[in-house]
Amino acid sequence: MLAGMTDQAPESVDPEDRKILTLARSARARNSVPEGAAVRDETGRTYVAGTVALESLRLSALQTAVAMAVASGAESLEAAAVVSEAAELPAGDLAAVRDLGGAGTPVLLAGPDGTLRSTLDAG
């Protein structure tokens, strides 16, 4: 198990965290992309994104969601969520969350069916 990772039963997930997991799952399905992500800023606003895979620009869904939050004036993050087939998140994704939200920002990773696999600290 990675440092900072904890397993959580679905019923123990905070309702606001379940909301961003649902939004991330919807973005993935709606856009037919490998990943969907959502972040919640310090005011409770959410930013939802899918993977960006242009010839000249490649961003993970989480990097895109963090960029959207920054571009909209967010000063910090409360939480982030990713829905993906991947078993773990790349270091660059965690770094993007850490840059805006700090090392202790929780990052939820769920499978395509929305089942929470793990919760990581961005640090």
Side-chain angles (χ1 to χ4, degrees):
M1 195 174 284
L2 295 173
M5 180 186 287
T6 58
D7 291 327
Q8 291 184 354
E11 61 274 3
S12 68
V13 177
D14 178 83
E16 290 299 312
D17 290 345
R18 276 198 303 266
K19 177 182 170 184
I20 60 173
L21 280 168
T22 299
L23 291 169
R25 184 174 181 221
S26 296
R28 180 180 185 270
R30 180 179 56 250
N31 297 318
S32 299
V33 291
E35 295 179 340
V39 298
R40 185 175 62 248
D41 74 9
E42 76 283 0
T43 68
R45 290 180 296 183
T46 56
Y47 306 88
V48 182
T51 309
V52 174
L54 300 172
E55 194 170 316
S56 63
L57 178 64
R58 298 205 179 270
L59 295 171
S60 71
L62 188 52
Q63 290 169 332
T64 305
V66 170
M68 291 171 65
V70 170
S72 297
E75 296 180 9
S76 184
L77 294 177
E78 291 182 350
V82 178
V83 173
S84 174
E85 289 186 20
E88 58 187 47
L89 293 174
D93 281 11
L94 296 175
V97 173
R98 185 175 57 248
D99 286 350
L100 185 57
T105 305
V107 181
L108 295 84
L109 176 60
D113 64 354
T115 300
L116 181 63
R117 292 182 181 158
S118 60
T119 300
L120 305 162
D121 287 335

